[in-house]
């Protein structure tokens, strides 16, 4: 337990992929660190998101740490796309293998962090009412950690079970014989819906915005393939480090509008057949040219028509009002086919919005629905939610919430003005959610640990981004986003899913490889844009 006057070099918030590696890295360089984790286990996203069908949309061999060749060789992934229990098992293995648990405090939520300018130390307060002093704070809190349940009228009166995909009960849920409603058709809903449909007596899906979804074509991993990957890991990881996505391949440089309709269709067919979201990178102009994007949208619409038997349902499932990839492409197993089942009904809540709940279920403007259970697959207060949850006060007592009043502002997604010695892993303004998260996390953790080593070697006590550097970075992030179609969708990338949240495109869309080069250049230039004192 924490002593009243305990002091460490680094307080890390969160024990997911980021926090675990951050702890390991800092220990290796001789700094003392403690991790605070609100869950009662490690794993972050993969600890909380246990809904039926929860599975990563990045392939197993690439959704893994690269920092330890031994770990790479000893861990055996079993499926093309790892299911939640397997990833959670992997992260628990990492925690044991690198002896991390003795520095992780579970069931401990950080509620506040206050910077003491005289001492250049942070006071970190937990929900247990204890305070710890730390020279540095690393927010390893994840991009999709704060689940959102819309505020429907009468929700408290509903007598049935209520779940959110992002905080699923550890013991699981048995829907056998139950009438279930699922609200939301993003990545989580699309994975859960086929599983719940197969188990429940009846499922009603409430869709506000249809998603573009591509088949995962998940399958057991061929041991021979895994052996080849393991033998090739150094090269594979190197390509991933330089690629725009943090994945071990470079996107196609050809333009959709430069090839014939037939060639385009062949390309899309082959990627649809291969499965997974690589179809989103089929051509280099898809994310910047509406006409090009329309060709992929039309292709996916045609696939929905092929699968869904009832043309009026197929029509409802087709996204029409935003470009492909401007909301995260979903990767599914049997999603569209689920709407051919007799026990599944699709309700378009654009046509008839949900007006509220009562004891038996929910009402739309057109009808009433009775349920034994309702599942909210309604997403997250993404990218900033977990950072703005605790009361973080920096220089002059300024609150992070106030500094980010008009939207998040960072330098490199790593640091924000007025909050010295506080670093963010995969923060807004970094490529994070537009890449393979594990690659993005490793790059940030390594950059932060190098930076702290630099500050320590110089015997200094404070590192803070300058306003000029932050302004420049914010401008660059916005400028790149403006060159794309991203702002044409009401996505969580823009905070558009949370009423009242400032509409700002939060991730850096310039590509992971280019971003890494920028971070490396900043470091090589004596940490340009930071004042070290
Ligand atoms: P999401 O993409 O934000 O989807 C939330 C869904 O709930 C949307 O369909 C949204 O409709 C709907 N919704 C929200 N409020 C509503 C309301 N008041 N009434 C009706 N519908 C409402 O959230 P998510 O599915 O949890 O996914 C979030 C992100 O997590 C993904 O984009 C992905 O990055 C990650 N994720 C990844 C995987 C994977 O690796 N396979 C799986 C799950 C999640 P609108 O679109 O109209 O707002």
């Amino acid at each position: 337990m924490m002593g009243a006057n305990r002091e460490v070099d680094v307080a890390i918030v969160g024990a997911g992929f980021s926090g675990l590696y951050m702890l390991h890295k800092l220990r290796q360089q001789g700094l003392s660190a403690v991790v605070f984790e609100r869950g009662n286990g490690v794993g972050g996203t993969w600890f909380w998101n246990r809904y039926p069908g929860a599975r990563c949309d990045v392939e197993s061999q690439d959704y893994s740490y690269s920092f330890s060749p031994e770990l790479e060789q000893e861990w055996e992934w079993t499926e093309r796309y790892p299911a939640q229990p397997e990833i959670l098992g992997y992260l628990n293995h990492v925690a044991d293998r690198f002896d991390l648990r003795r520095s992780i405090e579970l069931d401990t939520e950080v509620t506040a962090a206050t910077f003491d300018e005289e001492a250049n130390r942070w006071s970190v307060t937990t929900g247990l009412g204890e305070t710890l002093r730390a020279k540095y704070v690393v927010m390893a809190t994840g991009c999709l950690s704060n689940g959102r349940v819309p505020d429907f009228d009468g929700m408290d009166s509903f007598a049935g079970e209520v779940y959110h995909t992002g905080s699923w009960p550890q013991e699981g849920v048995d829907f056998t014989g139950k009438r279930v409603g699922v609200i939301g058709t993003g990545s989580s809903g699309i994975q859960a819906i086929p599983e719940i449909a197969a188990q429940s007596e009846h499922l009603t899906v409430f869709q506000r915005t249809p998603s573009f979804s591509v088949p995962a074509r998940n399958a057991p991993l061929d041991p021979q393939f895994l052996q080849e990957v393991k033998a090739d890991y150094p090269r594979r990881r190197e390509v991933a480090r330089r690629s725009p996505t943090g994945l071990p391949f470079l996107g196609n440089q050809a333009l959709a509008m430069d090839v014939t309709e037939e060639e385009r269709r062949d390309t899309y067919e082959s990627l649809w057949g291969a499965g997974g979201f690589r179809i989103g990178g089929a051509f280099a102009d898809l994310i910047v040219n509406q006409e090009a994007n329309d060709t992929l949208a039309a292709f996916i619409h045609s696939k929905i028509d092929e699968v869904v038997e009832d043309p009026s349902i197929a029509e409802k499932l087709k996204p029409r009002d935003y470009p492909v990839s401007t909301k995260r492409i979903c990767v599914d197993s049997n999603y569209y086919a689920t709407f051919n089942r007799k026990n599944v009904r699709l309700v378009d809540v654009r046509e008839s919005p949900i007006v509220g709940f009562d004891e038996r279920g929910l009402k739309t403007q057109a009808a009433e629905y009775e349920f034994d259970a309702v599942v909210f697959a309604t997403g997250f207060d993404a990218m900033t939610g977990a950072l703005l949850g605790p009361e973080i006060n920096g220089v002059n007592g300024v609150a992070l919430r106030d500094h980010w009043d008009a939207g998040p502002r960072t330098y490199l997604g790593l640091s924000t003005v007025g909050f010295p010695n506080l670093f963010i892993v995969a923060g807004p303004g970094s490529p994070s959610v537009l890449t393979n998260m594990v690659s993005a996390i490793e790059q940030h953790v390594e950059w932060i640990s190098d930076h702290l080593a630099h500050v320590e070697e110089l015997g200094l006590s404070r590192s803070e981004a300058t306003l000029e550097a932050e302004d420049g970075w914010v401008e660059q992030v916005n400028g790149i986003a403006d060159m794309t179609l991203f702002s044409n969708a009401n996505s969580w990338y823009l905070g558009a899913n949370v009423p009242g949240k400032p509409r700002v495109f939060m991730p850096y869309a310039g590509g992971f490889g280019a971003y890494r080069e920028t971070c490396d250049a900043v470091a090589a230039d004596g940490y340009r844009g930071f004042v070290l004192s």
Side-chain angles (χ1 to χ4, degrees):
M1 285 305 291
M2 226 184 334
N5 300 312
R6 213 167 108 201
E7 178 144 0
V8 292
D9 293 319
V10 191
I12 301 167
V13 188
F17 266 100
S18 306
L20 294 178
Y21 183 34
M22 193 78 243
L23 172 61
H24 176 61
K25 210 53 198 151
L26 294 174
R27 269 203 198 149
Q28 279 183 322
Q29 68 192 68
L31 292 174
S32 61
V34 62
V35 178
F36 296 120
E37 167 55 56
R38 78 185 153 103
N40 67 5
V42 303
T45 290
W46 300 104
F47 174 86
W48 297 102
N49 286 267
R50 299 168 188 246
Y51 59 84
R55 189 179 287 288
C56 189
D57 56 5
V58 173
E59 293 180 16
S60 296
Q61 68 278 356
D62 301 318
Y63 195 76
S64 58
Y65 289 119
S66 69
F67 71 80
S68 162
E70 297 79 19
L71 176 66
E72 277 176 341
Q73 294 302 317
E74 76 200 12
W75 185 262
E76 295 289 322
W77 295 103
T78 65
E79 291 182 275
R80 178 177 179 186
Y81 295 97
Q84 175 272 332
E86 192 164 15
I87 307 173
L88 188 58
Y90 172 77
L91 290 170
N92 274 287
H93 171 73
V94 168
D96 291 330
R97 193 191 194 289
F98 298 100
D99 186 26
L100 302 178
R101 291 190 199 275
R102 64 188 159 86
S103 306
I104 301 173
E105 304 193 5
L106 301 174
D107 288 316
T108 308
E109 181 160 8
V110 168
T111 54
T114 306
F115 189 64
D116 173 347
E117 286 175 65
E118 300 274 298
N120 286 321
R121 289 289 181 282
W122 283 93
S123 291
V124 178
T125 308
T126 73
L128 304 174
E130 289 162 309
T131 298
L132 168 105
R133 303 263 292 171
K135 181 166 178 183
Y136 307 100
V137 170
V138 176
M139 299 300 286
T141 40
C143 297
L144 295 153
S145 312
N146 278 33
R148 253 198 84 248
V149 173
D151 189 16
F152 291 118
D153 272 356
M155 267 174 48
D156 287 348
S157 63
F158 177 55
E161 302 153 31
V162 175
Y163 304 101
H164 185 278
T165 49
S167 51
W168 204 259
Q170 290 184 32
E171 64 281 11
V173 179
D174 185 0
F175 290 112
T176 307
K178 291 184 178 155
R179 298 159 304 166
V180 184
V182 172
I183 302 175
T185 52
S187 300
S188 305
I190 276 178
Q191 290 186 327
I193 284 162
E195 302 276 330
I196 298 175
Q199 194 182 58
S200 62
E201 181 187 308
H202 193 275
L203 172 65
T204 306
V205 175
F206 295 91
Q207 170 191 274
R208 186 165 68 185
T209 310
S211 291
F212 289 101
S213 193
V214 298
R217 310 214 187 278
N218 187 43
L221 266 181
D222 174 6
Q224 175 68 29
F225 168 76
L226 208 50
Q227 271 321 106
E228 284 164 20
V229 166
K230 286 185 177 187
D232 188 38
Y233 254 138
R235 186 203 62 83
R236 197 177 177 91
R237 301 298 199 181
E238 196 46 38
V239 178
R241 283 190 188 102
R242 308 281 151 210
S243 79
T245 55
L247 290 163
F249 43 79
L250 303 169
N252 186 2
Q253 291 310 303
L255 304 181
M257 302 324 289
D258 281 354
V259 301
T260 65
E261 197 179 331
E262 202 184 354
E263 283 172 298
R264 266 197 311 265
R265 175 113 200 156
D266 286 350
T267 302
Y268 294 151
E269 274 295 355
S270 118
L271 289 166
W272 185 268
F277 57 51
R278 279 182 73 172
I279 198 167
F283 295 103
D285 50 350
L286 292 176
I287 197 64
V288 292
N289 178 344
Q290 184 66 55
E291 195 186 355
N293 195 287
D294 287 343
T295 65
L296 178 56
F299 173 81
I300 298 178
H301 291 168
S302 74
K303 288 294 175 190
I304 297 172
D305 281 332
E306 276 175 26
V307 176
V308 179
E309 288 157 10
D310 180 333
S312 70
I313 294 177
E315 214 43 45
K316 285 193 172 125
L317 288 167
K318 291 179 192 167
R320 296 258 181 218
D321 58 0
Y322 63 95
V324 188
S325 295
T326 55
K327 284 180 170 226
R328 172 91 160 202
I329 291 187
C330 300
V331 178
D332 73 87
S333 295
N334 297 321
Y335 176 64
Y336 293 121
T338 297
F339 294 92
N340 296 332
R341 294 178 66 107
K342 297 255 174 315
N343 69 332
V344 175
R345 161 173 60 195
L346 178 66
V347 175
D348 182 341
V349 299
R350 283 257 173 92
E351 258 170 40
S352 58
I354 297 171
V355 290
F357 280 69
D358 62 17
E359 197 188 335
R360 288 168 303 161
L362 69 80
K363 281 184 204 168
T364 65
Q365 279 175 358
E368 288 186 29
Y369 303 88
E370 288 187 16
F371 295 120
D372 303 303
V374 171
V375 174
F376 287 93
T378 42
F380 300 86
D381 181 356
M383 305 204 69
T384 54
L387 295 169
L388 297 179
E391 185 73 44
I392 299 181
N393 292 305
V395 173
N396 296 326
V398 171
L400 185 60
R401 281 177 210 150
D402 291 332
H403 182 49
W404 286 6
D405 192 32
R409 303 177 46 79
T410 66
Y411 180 39
L412 303 171
L414 283 157
S415 171
T416 186
V417 173
F419 298 81
N421 295 6
L422 181 139
F423 298 92
I424 308 166
V425 180
S430 78
S432 58
V433 293
L434 299 181
T435 68
N436 175 9
M437 279 302 294
V438 186
S439 305
I441 285 167
E442 285 195 322
Q443 185 260 341
H444 263 193
V445 165
E446 287 160 14
W447 192 95
I448 292 169
S449 75
D450 287 350
H451 183 64
L452 299 196
H454 180 77
V455 175
E456 292 296 308
E457 263 163 40
L458 294 177
L460 298 175
S461 47
R462 181 166 160 152
S463 159
E464 185 178 2
T466 67
L467 186 59
E468 192 190 4
E470 182 171 283
D471 282 347
W473 188 250
V474 169
E475 199 179 312
Q476 196 173 328
V477 171
N478 290 337
I480 293 170
D482 289 345
M483 290 189 280
T484 71
L485 301 174
F486 275 116
S487 53
N488 297 4
N490 290 318
S491 69
W492 59 256
Y493 296 144
L494 282 142
N497 62 328
V498 178
K501 191 166 172 173
R503 193 181 167 96
V504 172
F505 187 76
M506 293 183 280
Y508 169 85
F512 179 61
Y515 172 80
R516 173 192 293 278
E517 279 174 23
T518 303
C519 290
D520 289 351
V522 164
D525 209 4
Y527 291 98
R528 169 174 23 101
F530 285 89
V531 174
L532 308 181
S533 57

